[in-house]
Amino acid sequence: MTAWTTEISAAAKRIAPYARRTPVMAGVDLGLGRPVDLKLEQMQHTGSFKARGAFNTLLSSEVPKAGIVAASGGNHGAAVAYAAASLGIKARIYVPEIAGPAKIALIEEAGADLVVVSGVYAKALEEARAYEAETGAMQIHAYDAPMTVIGQGTAMMEWEEQGLAADTVLIAVGGGGLIAGALAWLQGRRKVVAVEPDLAPTLNRALAEGPDTVVEVSGVAANALGATRIGSICHGLAAEAGITSVTVPDEAITKAQAILWRQLRQLVEPAGATALAALISGAYKPAEGERVAVLVCGGNIAPDPLAAPVAGRRAKPQG
Amino acid sequence: MTAWTTEISAAAKRIAPYARRTPVMAGVDLGLGRPVDLKLEQMQHTGSFKARGAFNTLLSSEVPKAGIVAASGGNHGAAVAYAAASLGIKARIYVPEIAGPAKIALIEEAGADLVVVSGVYAKALEEARAYEAETGAMQIHAYDAPMTVIGQGTAMMEWEEQGLAADTVLIAVGGGGLIAGALAWLQGRRKVVAVEPDLAPTLNRALAEGPDTVVEVSGVAANALGATRIGSICHGLAAEAGITSVTVPDEAITKAQAILWRQLRQLVEPAGATALAALISGAYKPAEGERVAVLVCGGNIAPDPLAAPVAGRRAKPQG
């Protein structure tokens, strides 16, 4: 189905003035015994690929006068807030207090009208829906909407334009927006490996047990990869492509974060290191001579490494 | 004098199997009101450009059987240790205890025979010289040796190969090895701006008061940019080129670090953000339409952002 690739090409043109062309590296020695190709998509605006889908959605939609609304304590919320602010669109983001100060600050900096809701995500979503009903504002889905998937697909298109040579691309999966975009763009031209935490095996379980499978999620990457049910677009594309799906322990994710920092001075969140973790844990063993690429997808680590001194400066003097 | 460019081209071929080709970005919006071109040289092996000069020196020298020796608590020591380990050359590095655990760990990880000397740098240098005299090991200069400068010059050559479009390149200066390499390569084809901390204005003062000027150094970037006397090769090239020299307050350096992290998820040490600080403080004001580039040169921030959990895991159980 070439409609996807046509749509992704159009999206790339649409978002080009707003989204960042993120750097790539070929044949990087990370001390793993084999070179790895990398795309550093955590350098995208607001620190993850999510800005691509957010811009594509806003730029291809008739946005109501009431603007947009989202409930998110994470990368999607930050991306939507940033994209809306960049385009002069009113955005209301409901954030669960449990998201923590780093993510809340990120969304605030991105420029949204931010409401911190006491409690967990479900409470924030409830308030977001009430706001939607009341004002007519538009909800933007984080991963299971065509314009979101098409926007994320521009990352893989861009990587190929930048000369990607790998046979196989490893991609972390949460709700599946990023990998769905990659599959939609690649149309089987390269092997795609889906990597999920052992503790959030949403796609893995859905491929085995059916698209409606609901999983429990936890672990170090849960705040970014912790969708409990895989997106239907992702499931459809992954099942059709006969994708390779693997899962990795949290220890391998943490080790991958350490390798990216120590070998390459790239400090990323657990989700951003999850794809690399499959090479470290051996969850994915490339064949002799198989060239592999890893998409580094998110950098919003908590605690914020520069937050401590800021907090220190803000502290009130004692006495 | 085209001997420099011939030498730098030769060095680029020589070090290509060992040094990393670091990524560049064109026209990055960092919220400064103007796009900036970047080269992310802090992604070089051991987290700074220093690996280029170290490899070039070792690969073009007759290394004695006793190997090499250096006294350094910083990026030079780590680069020399890494280059020597990569080439199977014996390296003894004397590190002052005052360098702190992050830098000492970095040099240790790089693979050197490491001796931590109680006290300050001068004591480590004294021991390194005693070792040199005793064993015949070769000392490698951090910045004021032709093969070091030629090695560092490959960074600018590479950036031009990668399509650098900027009129003007901002480069941080410590002892002057990196900027000397850039001047040697560019031969006046682009404007070069030297950026130093107000608290370590070594080149700035030497250009005004003479090449032998000794300055006091302190401030947030002193452990990387704190040479007290500018290298003679750097001074010669900078004076000949009529270089623009500016200095920046520590506050601007810290702010530049925050911008690189918040806008681009690049966590760098103060020295790595110093060139950018000149655009933030207004120490360098580009003309209307002037396109500027910033060389990000070092990422070895202290404390290590991933050190705390490691230390936590290593802690002995109580009781």
Side-chain angles (χ1 to χ4, degrees), chain B residues 2 11 19 27 63 66 78 95 98 103 139 143 161 177 199 206 226 271 309 319:
Chain B
T2 54
V63 179
V95 181
I98 202 172
K103 296 263 174 173
Q139 288 261 7
Y143 50 85
E161 283 176 359
L199 299 176

Side-chain angles (χ1 to χ4, degrees), chain A residues 220 250 252-262 266-274 276 280 301, chain B residues 306:
Chain A
V220 295
D250 274 10
I253 296 173
T254 306
K255 194 169 172 194
Q257 283 183 286
I259 286 172
L260 285 170
W261 173 248
R262 297 206 196 292
Q266 296 300 290
L267 187 66
V268 306
E269 65 187 286
T274 295
L276 180 63
I280 290 164
I301 195 169
Chain B
L306 295 183

Side-chain angles (χ1 to χ4, degrees), chain A residues 20 262-263 265 300 304, chain B residues 262-263 265 300 304:
Chain A
R20 207 170 256 159
R262 297 206 196 292
Q263 299 282 339
R265 298 303 178 274
N300 294 320
D304 185 320
Chain B
R262 297 205 195 293
Q263 300 281 339
R265 299 300 178 275
N300 294 320
D304 185 319

Side-chain angles (χ1 to χ4, degrees), chain A residues 117-309:
Chain A
V117 179
S118 61
V120 297
Y121 175 74
K123 189 73 174 60
L125 183 62
E126 189 183 302
E127 294 210 17
R129 285 186 173 151
Y131 180 84
E132 180 186 9
E134 187 188 311
T135 65
M138 179 173 97
Q139 288 260 9
I140 298 191
H141 201 282
Y143 51 85
D144 205 17
M147 294 318 275
T148 301
V149 168
I150 288 161
Q152 319 308 27
T154 63
M156 186 55 68
M157 176 186 164
E158 187 176 289
W159 203 354
E160 291 204 316
E161 282 176 0
Q162 292 167 309
L164 175 64
D167 307 297
T168 302
V169 184
L170 281 73
I171 302 179
V173 176
L178 180 60
I179 201 166
L183 291 167
W185 173 254
L186 288 172
Q187 296 291 317
R189 279 182 291 105
R190 299 177 203 261
K191 183 174 181 181
V192 174
V193 178
V195 186
E196 295 174 284
D198 288 347
L199 300 175
T202 318
L203 173 61
N204 191 269
R205 286 271 305 281
L207 288 173
E209 300 167 25
D212 296 330
T213 307
V214 172
V215 300
E216 289 196 3
V217 297
S218 63
V220 295
N223 78 350
L225 302 182
T228 54
R229 189 175 173 284
I230 197 69
S232 60
I233 299 174
C234 173
H235 186 272
L237 288 165
E240 184 188 323
I243 200 175
T244 299
S245 163
V246 302
T247 68
V248 294
D250 274 10
E251 295 70 32
I253 296 173
T254 306
K255 194 169 172 194
Q257 283 183 286
I259 286 172
L260 285 170
W261 173 248
R262 297 206 196 292
Q263 299 282 339
L264 206 59
R265 298 303 178 274
Q266 296 300 290
L267 187 66
V268 306
E269 65 187 286
T274 295
L276 180 63
L279 296 178
I280 290 164
S281 72
Y284 183 71
K285 292 196 204 330
E288 182 83 21
E290 180 182 352
R291 183 157 172 172
V292 296
V294 168
L295 185 42
V296 180
C297 58
N300 294 320
I301 195 169
D304 185 320
L306 295 182

